[in-house]
Amino acid sequence: MTFEFKTIKEAEEALERVEEDLIMGKISEEEYKNQKRKIKAYISLLELEDMLIEGKITEEEYKQKKAEYQAIISGEAVVEEEAAPLAKEVRKIVSKIKEVKGKREKLRDLLVNKEISEKTFNKLDSEYEEKEKSLTSELAEKKEELESRISEIEEELEKVRLQLEELRARLALEEISGSEYDSKKLDLEEKEKRLSNEMISLKEALELLG
């Protein structure tokens, strides 16, 4: 499937439709991940154009990032993003909650089909209900952690971008050599990429919480 959007809003609406398709069972988990990756790359590409216009990035940086995003959109590049530890924890809890809910539904079916007594149903359902409450409470705590960490990353990314901007200025003013610039620029870009990947992972986990 190919995508073409004129605005970020169009891309975000397409992302919502893809999520609905997954929920409705119209597409597989793998198809969902693939389409979501491409749409997000498209959003990043549109944001990149705004950053260039606003002078937040150089023409060189724009071309480099643009090529990366276009490769993802076209399917030429496969991006493997390692989920942040906190995001993994959230996914694990969400999975457990789904499992408990599934068991409660199965338990109710057993009662409806008269395979177990109401007394047995109440006892077991009460146990699963407590597990679900405990997991839901744990998930609520993780949501606060997610939001806090995302806020921290946003601040860190802003600092990194300002450092890159300052670095370009110092090079232009001949305060630093080209080799020093390249070395520091590489370190900062690697940090920016790591933080951005963590941000993506955490935001995806946050989406699971609704």
Side-chain angles (χ1 to χ4, degrees), residues 171-185:
L171 177 67
L173 295 169
E174 298 181 351
E175 288 188 9
I176 57 175
S177 65
S179 59
E180 184 181 354
Y181 168 79
D182 289 338
S183 176
K184 290 183 177 180
K185 177 173 175 282

Side-chain angles (χ1 to χ4, degrees), residues 6-8 44-63 66 165 168:
K6 293 181 179 179
T7 65
I8 291 174
S44 296
L45 183 60
L46 292 169
E47 289 175 338
L48 194 67
E49 291 172 357
D50 290 338
M51 290 172 71
L52 177 65
I53 293 169
E54 293 168 9
K56 292 182 178 179
I57 56 173
T58 64
E59 187 75 30
E60 179 189 345
E61 289 171 327
Y62 170 75
K63 288 179 180 178
K66 181 180 179 181
E165 185 179 296
R168 288 194 295 270

Side-chain angles (χ1 to χ4, degrees), residues 42-182:
Y42 216 116
I43 291 173
S44 296
L45 183 60
L46 292 169
E47 289 175 338
L48 194 67
E49 291 172 357
D50 290 338
M51 290 172 71
L52 177 65
I53 293 169
E54 293 168 9
K56 292 182 178 179
I57 56 173
T58 64
E59 187 75 30
E60 179 189 345
E61 289 171 327
Y62 170 75
K63 288 179 180 178
Q64 181 184 345
K65 291 286 186 182
K66 181 180 179 181
E68 291 175 9
Y69 293 137
Q70 286 181 329
I72 295 171
I73 293 166
S74 65
E76 293 174 10
V78 177
V79 179
E80 293 294 336
E81 293 171 355
E82 178 66 22
L86 183 55
K88 287 181 179 179
E89 289 177 32
V90 169
R91 290 174 186 172
K92 188 175 180 180
I93 296 170
V94 169
S95 177
K96 285 182 179 179
I97 290 175
K98 287 181 179 178
E99 183 182 347
V100 171
K101 285 180 179 292
K103 287 185 176 181
R104 291 187 74 184
E105 287 178 10
K106 188 174 182 180
L107 190 62
R108 183 164 293 279
D109 288 340
L110 291 173
L111 177 65
V112 171
N113 294 329
K114 297 182 179 180
E115 294 180 43
I116 58 172
S117 66
E118 189 169 343
K119 188 174 182 180
T120 298
F121 168 80
N122 289 336
K123 180 178 184 297
L124 293 175
D125 188 61
S126 178
E127 290 176 8
Y128 284 124
E129 184 180 15
E130 284 303 311
K131 287 181 182 179
E132 188 175 336
K133 284 181 180 178
S134 176
L135 288 167
T136 301
S137 176
E138 189 178 348
L139 197 60
E141 292 177 8
K142 293 298 179 186
K143 184 176 182 179
E144 291 181 9
E145 289 183 45
L146 279 172
E147 291 172 337
S148 175
R149 179 55 186 153
I150 287 171
S151 179
E152 287 176 6
I153 292 174
E154 287 173 345
E155 291 179 7
E156 288 182 52
L157 280 171
E158 180 62 21
K159 288 178 183 177
V160 170
R161 285 161 186 160
L162 286 173
Q163 286 175 313
L164 282 167
E165 185 179 296
E166 180 183 336
L167 199 61
R168 288 194 295 270
R170 290 187 182 280
L171 177 67
L173 295 169
E174 298 181 351
E175 288 188 9
I176 57 175
S177 65
S179 59
E180 184 181 354
Y181 168 79
D182 289 338

